[in-house]
Coordinates of all heavy atoms in Angstrom, one line a residue:
M68 N -14.0 -1.6 7.4 CA -13.4 -2.0 6.2 C -12.1 -1.2 6.0 O -12.1 0.0 6.0 CB -14.4 -1.7 5.0 CG -15.7 -2.6 5.1 SD -16.9 -2.1 4.0 CE -16.4 -2.7 2.5
K69 N -11.1 -2.0 5.9 CA -9.7 -1.3 5.8 C -9.6 -0.5 4.6 O -8.8 0.5 4.6 CB -8.6 -2.3 5.9 CG -8.5 -3.3 4.8 CD -7.3 -4.2 5.1 CE -7.4 -5.4 4.1 NZ -6.4 -6.4 4.5
E70 N -10.2 -0.8 3.5 CA -10.0 0.0 2.2 C -10.5 1.4 2.4 O -10.2 2.3 1.6 CB -10.7 -0.7 1.0 CG -12.1 -0.9 1.1 CD -12.5 -2.3 1.6 OE1 -11.7 -3.0 2.2 OE2 -13.7 -2.6 1.6
K71 N -11.4 1.7 3.4 CA -11.9 3.0 3.6 C -11.1 3.8 4.6 O -11.3 5.0 4.8 CB -13.3 3.0 4.0 CG -14.2 2.4 2.9 CD -15.7 2.5 3.3 CE -16.5 2.0 2.1 NZ -17.9 2.1 2.4
K72 N -10.1 3.2 5.2 CA -9.3 3.9 6.3 C -8.3 4.9 5.6 O -7.7 4.6 4.6 CB -8.5 2.9 7.1 CG -9.4 2.0 7.9 CD -8.7 1.6 9.2 CE -9.7 0.7 10.0 NZ -10.0 1.3 11.2
C73 N -8.2 6.0 6.2 CA -7.3 7.1 5.7 C -6.2 7.3 6.7 O -6.4 7.0 7.9 CB -8.1 8.4 5.5 SG -9.5 8.2 4.3
G74 N -5.1 7.9 6.2 CA -4.0 8.3 7.1 C -3.4 7.1 7.7 O -3.2 7.0 8.9
V75 N -3.0 6.2 6.9 CA -2.4 4.9 7.3 C -1.0 4.6 6.8 O -0.6 5.1 5.7 CB -3.3 3.7 7.0 CG1 -4.6 3.8 7.7 CG2 -3.5 3.5 5.5
V76 N -0.2 3.9 7.5 CA 1.0 3.2 7.0 C 0.6 1.8 6.8 O -0.1 1.2 7.6 CB 2.1 3.3 8.1 CG1 3.4 2.6 7.6 CG2 2.4 4.7 8.4
Y77 N 1.0 1.3 5.6 CA 0.5 0.0 5.2 C 1.6 -0.9 4.6 O 2.6 -0.3 4.1 CB -0.7 0.1 4.2 CG -0.3 0.8 2.9 CD1 0.2 0.2 1.8 CD2 -0.3 2.2 2.9 CE1 0.6 0.9 0.7 CE2 0.1 2.9 1.8 CZ 0.6 2.2 0.7 OH 1.0 2.9 -0.4
S78 N 1.4 -2.2 4.5 CA 2.3 -3.0 3.8 C 1.5 -3.9 2.8 O 0.4 -4.3 3.1 CB 3.1 -4.0 4.8 OG 2.3 -4.9 5.3
I79 N 2.1 -4.0 1.6 CA 1.5 -4.9 0.6 C 2.5 -6.0 0.4 O 3.6 -5.8 0.1 CB 1.4 -4.1 -0.7 CG1 0.4 -2.9 -0.6 CG2 0.8 -5.0 -1.8 CD1 0.3 -2.0 -1.8
N80 N 1.9 -7.2 0.6 CA 2.7 -8.4 0.5 C 2.4 -9.1 -0.8 O 1.2 -9.3 -1.1 CB 2.5 -9.4 1.7 CG 3.0 -8.8 3.0 OD1 4.2 -8.5 3.1 ND2 2.1 -8.5 3.9
C81 N 3.4 -9.6 -1.5 CA 3.2 -10.3 -2.8 C 2.5 -11.6 -2.4 O 3.0 -12.3 -1.5 CB 4.5 -10.5 -3.5 SG 4.3 -11.5 -5.0
G82 N 1.5 -12.1 -3.2 CA 0.9 -13.3 -3.0 C 1.7 -14.5 -3.4 O 1.4 -15.7 -3.1
D83 N 2.8 -14.3 -4.2 CA 3.6 -15.4 -4.7 C 5.0 -15.5 -4.2 O 5.6 -16.5 -4.4 CB 3.6 -15.2 -6.3 CG 2.2 -15.3 -6.9 OD1 1.5 -16.2 -6.6 OD2 1.8 -14.3 -7.5
C84 N 5.5 -14.5 -3.6 CA 6.8 -14.5 -3.0 C 6.9 -13.7 -1.7 O 5.8 -13.3 -1.2 CB 7.9 -14.0 -4.0 SG 7.8 -12.2 -4.3
K85 N 8.0 -13.5 -1.2 CA 8.1 -12.8 0.1 C 8.3 -11.3 0.0 O 8.6 -10.7 1.0 CB 9.2 -13.5 1.0 CG 8.8 -14.9 1.3 CD 9.7 -15.5 2.3 CE 9.5 -17.0 2.3 NZ 9.1 -17.5 3.6
E86 N 8.2 -10.7 -1.2 CA 8.4 -9.3 -1.3 C 7.4 -8.5 -0.6 O 6.2 -8.9 -0.5 CB 8.4 -8.9 -2.8 CG 9.6 -9.4 -3.6 CD 10.9 -8.7 -3.2 OE1 10.9 -7.4 -3.1 OE2 11.9 -9.4 -3.1
E87 N 7.8 -7.4 0.0 CA 6.9 -6.6 0.8 C 7.2 -5.1 0.5 O 8.3 -4.7 0.4 CB 7.1 -6.8 2.3 CG 6.2 -5.9 3.1 CD 6.5 -6.1 4.6 OE1 7.6 -6.5 5.0 OE2 5.6 -5.9 5.4
Y88 N 6.1 -4.4 0.3 CA 6.2 -2.9 0.0 C 5.6 -2.2 1.2 O 4.4 -2.6 1.6 CB 5.5 -2.5 -1.3 CG 5.4 -1.1 -1.5 CD1 6.5 -0.3 -2.0 CD2 4.3 -0.4 -1.1 CE1 6.4 1.0 -2.1 CE2 4.2 1.0 -1.2 CZ 5.2 1.7 -1.8 OH 5.2 3.1 -1.9
V89 N 6.2 -1.2 1.8 CA 5.6 -0.4 2.9 C 5.4 1.0 2.3 O 6.4 1.6 1.8 CB 6.5 -0.4 4.1 CG1 5.9 0.5 5.2 CG2 6.6 -1.9 4.6
G90 N 4.3 1.5 2.6 CA 4.0 2.9 2.1 C 3.0 3.6 3.1 O 2.6 3.0 4.1
E91 N 2.7 4.8 2.8 CA 1.8 5.6 3.6 C 0.9 6.4 2.7 O 1.3 6.8 1.6 CB 2.5 6.5 4.7 CG 3.4 7.6 4.1 CD 2.6 8.8 3.8 OE1 1.5 9.1 4.4 OE2 3.0 9.6 3.0
T92 N -0.3 6.7 3.2 CA -1.2 7.5 2.4 C -2.1 8.3 3.4 O -2.5 7.8 4.4 CB -2.0 6.7 1.4 OG1 -2.8 7.6 0.6 CG2 -2.9 5.7 2.1
S93 N -2.5 9.5 2.9 CA -3.5 10.2 3.7 C -4.9 9.9 3.1 O -5.9 10.2 3.8 CB -3.2 11.8 3.6 OG -3.3 12.1 2.2
R94 N -5.0 9.3 2.0 CA -6.2 9.0 1.3 C -6.7 7.6 1.7 O -6.1 6.9 2.4 CB -6.1 9.1 -0.2 CG -5.7 10.6 -0.6 CD -5.4 10.8 -2.1 NE -4.2 10.0 -2.4 CZ -4.1 9.2 -3.4 NH1 -5.1 9.1 -4.3 NH2 -3.0 8.6 -3.7
A95 N -7.9 7.3 1.2 CA -8.4 5.9 1.5 C -7.5 4.9 1.0 O -6.9 5.0 -0.2 CB -9.8 5.8 0.8
L96 N -7.2 3.8 1.8 CA -6.3 2.8 1.4 C -6.7 2.1 0.1 O -5.8 1.7 -0.7 CB -6.2 1.8 2.6 CG -5.2 0.6 2.4 CD1 -3.8 1.1 2.1 CD2 -5.3 -0.3 3.6
G97 N -8.0 1.8 -0.1 CA -8.4 1.2 -1.3 C -8.1 2.0 -2.6 O -7.7 1.4 -3.6
V98 N -8.2 3.3 -2.5 CA -7.8 4.1 -3.6 C -6.3 4.0 -3.9 O -5.9 3.8 -5.1 CB -8.2 5.6 -3.4 CG1 -7.7 6.5 -4.4 CG2 -9.7 5.7 -3.3
R99 N -5.5 4.1 -2.9 CA -4.1 4.0 -3.1 C -3.7 2.6 -3.6 O -2.8 2.5 -4.4 CB -3.4 4.3 -1.7 CG -1.9 4.4 -1.9 CD -1.4 5.5 -2.8 NE 0.0 5.5 -3.0 CZ 0.6 5.3 -4.2 NH1 -0.2 5.2 -5.3 NH2 1.9 5.3 -4.3
F100 N -4.3 1.6 -3.1 CA -4.0 0.2 -3.6 C -4.3 0.1 -5.1 O -3.5 -0.4 -5.8 CB -4.8 -0.8 -2.8 CG -4.6 -2.2 -3.3 CD1 -3.4 -2.9 -2.9 CD2 -5.5 -2.8 -4.1 CE1 -3.2 -4.2 -3.3 CE2 -5.2 -4.1 -4.6 CZ -4.1 -4.8 -4.2
K101 N -5.4 0.6 -5.5 CA -5.8 0.6 -7.0 C -4.7 1.4 -7.8 O -4.4 1.0 -8.9 CB -7.2 1.2 -7.2 CG -8.3 0.2 -6.8 CD -9.6 0.8 -7.1 CE -10.7 -0.1 -6.6 NZ -12.0 0.5 -6.8
E102 N -4.2 2.5 -7.3 CA -3.2 3.2 -8.0 C -1.9 2.4 -8.1 O -1.3 2.4 -9.2 CB -2.8 4.5 -7.2 CG -3.9 5.5 -7.3 CD -3.6 6.7 -6.5 OE1 -2.7 6.7 -5.6 OE2 -4.4 7.7 -6.6
H103 N -1.6 1.6 -7.1 CA -0.4 0.7 -7.2 C -0.6 -0.3 -8.2 O 0.4 -0.7 -8.9 CB -0.1 0.0 -5.8 CG 0.6 0.8 -4.8 ND1 1.9 1.3 -5.0 CD2 0.3 1.2 -3.6 CE1 2.3 2.0 -4.0 NE2 1.3 2.0 -3.1
V104 N -1.8 -0.9 -8.4 CA -2.0 -2.0 -9.2 C -2.4 -1.6 -10.7 O -1.9 -2.1 -11.6 CB -3.1 -2.9 -8.6 CG1 -3.4 -4.1 -9.6 CG2 -2.6 -3.5 -7.3
Q105 N -3.3 -0.5 -10.8 CA -3.8 -0.2 -12.1 C -3.5 1.2 -12.5 O -3.8 1.6 -13.7 CB -5.4 -0.3 -12.0 CG -5.9 -1.6 -11.6 CD -7.4 -1.6 -11.2 OE1 -8.0 -0.5 -11.1 NE2 -8.0 -2.7 -11.1
G106 N -2.9 2.0 -11.7 CA -2.7 3.4 -12.0 C -1.7 3.6 -13.1 O -0.9 2.7 -13.5
C107 N -1.6 4.9 -13.6 CA -0.7 5.2 -14.7 C 0.6 5.7 -14.2 O 1.6 5.9 -15.0 CB -1.4 6.2 -15.7 SG -1.9 7.7 -14.9
Q108 N 0.7 6.0 -12.9 CA 2.0 6.5 -12.3 C 2.9 5.3 -12.0 O 2.4 4.2 -11.7 CB 1.7 7.2 -11.0 CG 0.9 8.5 -11.2 CD 1.7 9.5 -12.0 OE1 2.9 9.7 -11.8 NE2 1.0 10.2 -12.9
P109 N 4.2 5.5 -12.0 CA 5.1 4.4 -11.7 C 4.9 4.0 -10.2 O 4.6 4.8 -9.4 CB 6.5 5.0 -11.8 CG 6.3 6.2 -12.6 CD 4.9 6.7 -12.4
S110 N 5.1 2.7 -9.9 CA 4.9 2.2 -8.6 C 5.8 0.9 -8.5 O 5.9 0.1 -9.4 CB 3.5 1.8 -8.4 OG 3.3 0.9 -7.3
A111 N 6.5 0.8 -7.3 CA 7.3 -0.4 -7.1 C 6.5 -1.7 -7.1 O 6.9 -2.7 -7.6 CB 8.0 -0.3 -5.8
V112 N 5.3 -1.6 -6.6 CA 4.4 -2.7 -6.7 C 4.0 -3.1 -8.1 O 4.1 -4.3 -8.5 CB 3.1 -2.4 -5.8 CG1 2.1 -3.6 -6.0 CG2 3.4 -2.2 -4.4
K113 N 3.7 -2.1 -8.9 CA 3.3 -2.3 -10.3 C 4.5 -2.9 -11.1 O 4.4 -3.8 -11.9 CB 2.9 -1.0 -10.9 CG 2.2 -1.1 -12.3 CD 1.8 0.3 -12.7 CE 0.7 0.2 -13.6 NZ 0.3 1.5 -14.0
E114 N 5.7 -2.4 -10.8 CA 6.9 -2.9 -11.5 C 7.2 -4.4 -11.1 O 7.5 -5.2 -11.9 CB 8.1 -2.0 -11.1 CG 8.1 -0.7 -11.7 CD 9.3 0.2 -11.2 OE1 10.2 -0.3 -10.6 OE2 9.2 1.4 -11.4
H115 N 7.0 -4.7 -9.8 CA 7.1 -6.1 -9.4 C 6.2 -7.0 -10.1 O 6.5 -8.1 -10.6 CB 6.9 -6.2 -7.9 CG 7.1 -7.6 -7.3 ND1 8.3 -8.2 -7.2 CD2 6.1 -8.5 -6.9 CE1 8.1 -9.5 -6.7 NE2 6.7 -9.6 -6.5
I116 N 4.9 -6.6 -10.2 CA 3.9 -7.4 -10.9 C 4.3 -7.6 -12.4 O 4.2 -8.7 -12.9 CB 2.5 -6.7 -10.8 CG1 2.0 -6.8 -9.3 CG2 1.5 -7.4 -11.7 CD1 0.8 -5.9 -9.0
A117 N 4.7 -6.5 -13.0 CA 5.0 -6.6 -14.4 C 6.3 -7.5 -14.7 O 6.3 -8.2 -15.6 CB 5.3 -5.2 -15.0
A118 N 7.3 -7.4 -13.8 CA 8.5 -8.1 -14.0 C 8.4 -9.6 -13.7 O 9.1 -10.4 -14.2 CB 9.6 -7.5 -13.1
T119 N 7.5 -9.9 -12.7 CA 7.4 -11.3 -12.3 C 6.1 -12.1 -12.7 O 6.1 -13.3 -12.6 CB 7.5 -11.4 -10.7 OG1 6.4 -10.7 -10.2 CG2 8.8 -10.8 -10.2
G120 N 5.1 -11.3 -13.0 CA 3.8 -12.0 -13.2 C 3.1 -12.3 -12.0 O 2.0 -13.0 -12.0
H121 N 3.6 -11.9 -10.8 CA 3.0 -12.2 -9.5 C 1.7 -11.3 -9.3 O 1.5 -10.4 -10.2 CB 4.0 -11.9 -8.4 CG 5.1 -12.9 -8.4 ND1 6.2 -12.8 -7.5 CD2 5.3 -14.0 -9.1 CE1 7.0 -13.8 -7.7 NE2 6.5 -14.5 -8.7
S122 N 1.0 -11.5 -8.3 CA -0.2 -10.7 -8.0 C -0.2 -10.3 -6.6 O 0.4 -10.9 -5.7 CB -1.4 -11.6 -8.3 OG -1.5 -12.7 -7.5
V123 N -1.0 -9.2 -6.3 CA -1.2 -8.8 -5.0 C -2.7 -8.6 -4.8 O -3.4 -8.2 -5.8 CB -0.5 -7.4 -4.6 CG1 1.0 -7.7 -4.6 CG2 -0.8 -6.3 -5.6
E124 N -3.3 -8.8 -3.7 CA -4.7 -8.6 -3.4 C -4.9 -7.7 -2.2 O -4.1 -7.7 -1.3 CB -5.3 -10.0 -3.1 CG -5.2 -11.0 -4.2 CD -5.9 -10.7 -5.4 OE1 -7.0 -10.0 -5.3 OE2 -5.5 -11.1 -6.5
L125 N -6.0 -7.0 -2.3 CA -6.3 -6.0 -1.2 C -6.4 -6.7 0.2 O -6.0 -6.2 1.2 CB -7.6 -5.2 -1.5 CG -7.9 -4.1 -0.5 CD1 -6.8 -3.1 -0.3 CD2 -9.2 -3.5 -0.9
Q126 N -6.9 -7.9 0.2 CA -7.0 -8.7 1.5 C -5.6 -9.0 2.1 O -5.5 -9.2 3.3 CB -7.8 -9.9 1.4 CG -7.2 -11.0 0.6 CD -7.8 -11.2 -0.8 OE1 -8.5 -10.3 -1.3 NE2 -7.6 -12.3 -1.4
D127 N -4.5 -8.9 1.3 CA -3.2 -9.2 1.8 C -2.5 -7.9 2.3 O -1.4 -8.0 2.8 CB -2.3 -9.8 0.7 CG -2.9 -11.2 0.3 OD1 -3.4 -11.9 1.1 OD2 -2.7 -11.5 -0.9
V128 N -3.2 -6.8 2.2 CA -2.6 -5.5 2.7 C -2.9 -5.4 4.2 O -4.0 -5.7 4.6 CB -3.3 -4.3 1.9 CG1 -2.7 -3.0 2.5 CG2 -3.0 -4.4 0.4
K129 N -1.8 -5.0 4.9 CA -1.9 -4.9 6.3 C -1.7 -3.4 6.7 O -0.8 -2.8 6.2 CB -0.9 -5.7 7.0 CG -1.0 -7.2 6.9 CD 0.1 -7.9 7.6 CE 0.0 -9.4 7.2 NZ 1.2 -10.1 7.6
I130 N -2.6 -2.9 7.6 CA -2.4 -1.6 8.2 C -1.4 -1.7 9.3 O -1.7 -2.4 10.3 CB -3.7 -1.0 8.6 CG1 -4.6 -0.8 7.3 CG2 -3.5 0.3 9.3 CD1 -6.0 -0.3 7.6
L131 N -0.3 -1.0 9.2 CA 0.7 -1.1 10.3 C 0.5 0.0 11.3 O 0.9 -0.2 12.5 CB 2.1 -0.9 9.6 CG 2.4 -1.9 8.6 CD1 3.8 -1.6 7.9 CD2 2.4 -3.4 9.1
A132 N 0.0 1.2 10.9 CA -0.2 2.3 11.9 C -1.2 3.2 11.2 O -1.4 3.2 10.0 CB 1.1 3.0 12.1
Q133 N -1.8 4.0 12.1 CA -2.8 5.0 11.6 C -2.5 6.3 12.3 O -2.4 6.3 13.5 CB -4.2 4.6 11.8 CG -5.2 5.5 11.1 CD -6.6 4.9 11.1 OE1 -6.9 3.9 11.8 NE2 -7.5 5.5 10.3
D134 N -2.4 7.4 11.6 CA -2.2 8.7 12.1 C -2.7 9.8 11.2 O -2.3 9.8 10.0 CB -0.7 9.0 12.4 CG -0.4 10.1 13.4 OD1 -1.1 11.1 13.3 OD2 0.4 9.9 14.3
A135 N -3.5 10.7 11.6 CA -4.0 11.8 10.8 C -3.0 12.8 10.3 O -3.1 13.4 9.3 CB -5.2 12.5 11.5
L136 N -1.9 12.9 11.1 CA -0.8 13.9 10.8 C 0.2 13.3 9.9 O 0.7 12.1 10.1 CB -0.2 14.3 12.1 CG -1.1 15.0 13.1 CD1 -0.4 15.3 14.4 CD2 -1.7 16.3 12.5
T137 N 0.6 14.0 8.9 CA 1.5 13.5 7.8 C 2.9 13.2 8.4 O 3.4 12.1 8.1 CB 1.6 14.5 6.7 OG1 0.4 14.8 6.2 CG2 2.5 14.0 5.6
Y138 N 3.5 14.1 9.1 CA 4.9 13.9 9.6 C 5.0 12.7 10.5 O 5.9 11.8 10.2 CB 5.4 15.2 10.3 CG 6.8 15.1 10.7 CD1 7.8 15.2 9.7 CD2 7.2 14.9 12.0 CE1 9.2 15.0 10.1 CE2 8.5 14.8 12.4 CZ 9.5 14.9 11.4 OH 10.8 14.7 11.7
P139 N 4.2 12.5 11.5 CA 4.3 11.2 12.3 C 4.1 10.0 11.4 O 4.8 8.9 11.7 CB 3.3 11.4 13.3 CG 3.0 12.8 13.4 CD 3.2 13.4 12.1
R140 N 3.2 10.1 10.5 CA 2.9 8.9 9.6 C 4.2 8.6 8.7 O 4.5 7.4 8.6 CB 1.7 9.2 8.7 CG 1.1 8.0 8.2 CD -0.2 8.3 7.5 NE -0.1 9.4 6.4 CZ -0.7 10.6 6.5 NH1 -1.5 10.9 7.5 NH2 -0.6 11.4 5.5
K141 N 4.8 9.6 8.2 CA 6.0 9.4 7.4 C 7.2 8.8 8.3 O 7.9 8.0 7.8 CB 6.4 10.7 6.7 CG 5.5 11.1 5.6 CD 6.2 11.8 4.5 CE 5.2 12.2 3.4 NZ 5.2 11.2 2.4
I142 N 7.3 9.2 9.5 CA 8.3 8.7 10.4 C 8.0 7.2 10.6 O 8.9 6.4 10.6 CB 8.2 9.4 11.8 CG1 8.6 10.8 11.6 CG2 9.1 8.7 12.8 CD1 10.1 11.1 11.5
R143 N 6.8 6.8 10.8 CA 6.4 5.4 11.0 C 6.7 4.6 9.8 O 7.0 3.4 9.9 CB 5.0 5.3 11.4 CG 4.7 5.8 12.8 CD 3.3 5.6 13.3 NE 3.2 5.9 14.7 CZ 2.1 6.5 15.2 NH1 1.1 6.7 14.4 NH2 2.1 6.8 16.4
E144 N 6.5 5.2 8.6 CA 6.7 4.5 7.4 C 8.2 4.0 7.3 O 8.5 3.0 6.9 CB 6.4 5.3 6.2 CG 6.7 4.7 4.8 CD 6.6 5.6 3.7 OE1 6.7 6.9 3.9 OE2 6.3 5.1 2.6

């Protein structure tokens, strides 16, 4: 299950347009995705949803790379 994967570079694609967000996290992908959609911190994904009324779904998130080390993960991002 991809939502439990940690140490990943991921892309979130808008379900309604061609916008794409690429990010990285050391934590579980599902936790980070929820922060993008429901969290209280600013997020480019959250801003896109608010500005357009579009939606994103966890099933549309793609894992681009996985690395336990932060620096190589940030390079890949």
